[in-house]
Structures are given as structure tokens and as C-alpha cells.
């Protein structure tokens, strides 16, 4: 599976060039042409590196980095900027960026930097990872990534919380009260429909047939059980 790159840049000429460089290095790309678009993508998708422009139409790239790190997202960030002031690079690094390269850049240098940063980050994750394995499923609590038979399944934050609850305690029956308290942090005013929506979303991602679930099964009158 190819490593994934999120390109955050609002200049088509630049992001098309960045895509070309990434593709030549066997990397998958997704483009966000604004800071808000990038933040929305990061809510439901994971990437191996983010290439961040500083000057965006809706907010500075520095603000995007602040928000990413404020949410606990440790995805490597490389600033790709047309501004060549030392202040920008130092400020970006102080906010949590991992590297900085200025435009115009040399494609070979950029490609090498990106691959090195991805490799370094993966080695750090392997050193500190906590992997929960259960049947064909595994969950890395350091990266919050979930896999079935070695293939990553992208989960939203609440889907991730729900799946972690299940995979930590296979075969246990969870009432809706227990699920609501764990995922939403509050056992008052439980919304059964909300729980059912997320159960169905998980089933659509991990079951062969969502209508005949083999892993997340309903225990009539009680709640749900995860069978790995």
C-alpha cells in the first residue's frame, strides 16, 4: 500500500507539480485547496505526511498546523512556502512542523525529504506502538489506525472510539448506556438513533454483509457484542 500525502495549497500550478513529484516517488496524493478543506479531510482520513503552503486563501498554513497539533494529530508536516524568511521556518517548526522547504524547490530534493520524513516517523511509531490484535483485526493505539487482515480501514473519531471499546473487550456485551458513556462521555439523554448510526457505519466498514453481521452482533434487549 502506497504512503499517502495530503497537499494543502490553493495554487493549481503548484499543487499539480507537487502531485507529479509525489507520484514519481510512488506516493498517493490528496489535494486540499484551503485550510478548512484540509482540517475537514483530517477529521475522517489519515495521511503519512502533510505538505503545507503558508499562504492560503482562508487562513495561514501556520494556523492549520496549530489546529492539527492542538487536536493531538502528530502527522508529519512539511512546510512548502514561497517565503524565504528565516522567521517563517523557525515559527513553523516551533508550531510543530517537521521540516521546511522553499519554492522553487528541486523535485529530487523534495521527494527525498518527504520519503525520509515518512520513514523516520514510521520508525518512531514502531518503537512506541501499542498494538491490540484480535482475530483478523488490529488497532494501533499510538497512531489510532485500525486494520482488518492487514488492510487499513479509515475510521472517524467516534467510530475509532467505538471500535477501540469493542476490540479491547471481545465477546463482552455492551449496553447502549455503556457505549454512550464511553464514546460521548455522558450517560445522560442517550440517543439510541445516534448509537445505531455509528454501529451501522462500523458494520458497513468491517462486515462482509452489513445486513448479516458476523462481528458486531445485536444482543436483543441488551446491546451489542463484538465477536472477532
Amino acid at each position: 500500500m502506497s504512503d499517502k500525502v495530503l497537499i494543502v495549497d490553493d495554487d493549481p500550478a503548484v499543487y499539480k507539480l507537487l502531485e507529479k513529484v509525489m507520484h514519481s516517488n510512488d506516493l498517493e496524493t490528496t489535494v486540499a485547496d484551503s485550510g478548512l478543506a484540509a482540517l475537514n479531510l483530517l477529521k475522517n482520513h489519515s495521511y503519512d505526511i502533510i505538505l503545507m503552503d503558508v499562504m492560503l486563501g482562508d487562513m495561514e498554513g501556520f494556523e492549520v498546523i496549530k489546529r492539527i497539533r492542538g487536536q493531538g494529530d502528530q502527522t508529519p508536516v512539511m512546510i512548502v512556502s514561497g517565503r524565504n524568511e528565516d522567521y517563517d521556518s523557525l515559527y513553523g517548526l516551533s508550531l510543530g512542523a517537521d521540516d521546511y522547504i522553499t519554492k522553487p524547490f528541486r523535485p529530487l530534493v523534495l521527494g527525498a525529504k518527504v520519503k525520509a520524513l515518512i520513514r523516520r516517523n514510521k520508525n518512531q511509531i514502531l518503537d512506541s506502538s501499542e498494538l491490540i490484535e484480535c482475530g483478523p483485526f488490529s488497532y494501533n493505539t499510538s497512531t489510532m489506525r485500525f486494520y482488518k487482515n492487514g488492510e487499513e480501514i479509515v475510521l472517524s473519531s467516534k467510530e475509532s472510539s467505538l471500535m477501540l471499546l469493542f476490540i479491547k473487550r471481545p465477546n463482552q456485551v455492551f449496553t447502549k448506556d455503556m457505549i454512550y458513556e464511553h464514546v460521548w462521555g455522558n450517560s445522560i439523554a442517550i440517543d439510541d438513533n445516534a448509537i445505531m448510526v455509528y454501529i451501522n457505519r462500523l458494520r458497513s466498514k468491517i462486515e462482509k454483509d452489513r445486513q448479516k453481521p458476523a462481528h458486531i452482533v445485536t444482543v436483543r434487549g441488551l446491546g451489542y457484542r463484538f465477536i472477532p
Side-chain angles (χ1 to χ4, degrees):
M1 183 181 297
S2 299
D3 293 321
K4 299 176 182 178
V5 182
L6 176 61
I7 297 170
V8 187
D9 200 300
D10 59 358
D11 185 336
V14 174
Y15 67 64
K16 286 177 182 178
L17 176 58
L18 288 171
E19 283 191 297
K20 185 176 180 180
V21 174
M22 296 303 104
H23 293 165
S24 70
N25 284 274
D26 299 320
L27 300 169
E28 294 182 18
T29 59
T30 300
V31 174
D33 61 4
S34 70
L36 183 58
L39 293 170
N40 285 335
L41 281 169
L42 287 164
K43 289 178 182 178
N44 297 310
H45 303 278
S46 58
Y47 301 92
D48 295 285
I49 192 168
I50 302 168
L51 301 185
M52 180 72 64
D53 186 22
V54 172
M55 301 299 292
L56 299 170
D58 57 343
M59 67 180 78
E60 282 196 334
F62 296 136
E63 177 63 24
V64 182
I65 296 171
K66 279 185 186 178
R67 296 191 190 186
I68 291 172
R69 294 298 186 243
Q71 294 166 1
D73 188 332
Q74 296 302 313
T75 303
V77 176
M78 177 180 287
I79 296 173
V80 184
S81 174
R83 304 197 318 203
N84 197 21
E85 294 86 355
D86 288 341
Y87 167 79
D88 284 342
S89 60
L90 293 173
Y91 183 54
L93 294 171
S94 73
L95 293 176
D98 298 270
D99 206 344
Y100 190 103
I101 193 168
T102 57
K103 308 170 189 174
F105 50 80
R106 293 167 60 191
L108 286 176
V109 173
L110 176 61
K113 278 178 166 283
V114 166
K115 297 197 81 169
L117 191 52
I118 291 173
R119 183 170 60 251
R120 186 179 72 192
N121 185 63
K122 285 188 173 182
N123 287 339
Q124 290 174 346
I125 290 171
L126 286 173
D127 289 341
S128 61
S129 66
E130 297 180 18
L131 194 65
I132 301 172
E133 296 182 304
C134 191
F137 303 100
S138 59
Y139 189 106
N140 190 313
T141 57
S142 295
T143 61
M144 296 183 67
R145 287 184 170 183
F146 175 67
Y147 304 84
K148 180 180 180 181
N149 295 320
E151 293 291 323
E152 183 176 4
I153 298 174
V154 177
L155 304 178
S156 69
S157 60
K158 283 191 169 49
E159 290 168 354
S160 184
S161 296
L162 182 54
M163 195 66 241
L164 185 58
L165 175 68
F166 284 150
I167 203 170
K168 279 184 172 180
R169 302 174 186 175
N171 300 307
Q172 177 177 329
V173 176
F174 289 95
T175 66
K176 291 180 180 178
D177 288 11
M178 293 165 68
I179 292 172
Y180 194 90
E181 184 173 6
H182 178 83
V183 177
W184 282 268
N186 191 344
S187 60
I188 302 173
I190 296 171
D191 185 342
D192 288 354
N193 289 329
I195 294 172
M196 290 175 61
V197 165
Y198 281 95
I199 290 290
N200 286 332
R201 286 182 183 176
L202 270 184
R203 282 173 171 167
S204 68
K205 293 183 176 183
I206 74 169
E207 303 281 3
K208 288 184 178 180
D209 183 350
R210 183 170 63 86
Q211 302 300 324
K212 299 178 181 178
H215 298 296
I216 302 176
V217 300
T218 300
V219 181
R220 192 174 299 277
L222 291 175
Y224 301 94
R225 175 189 285 126
F226 174 66
I227 303 175

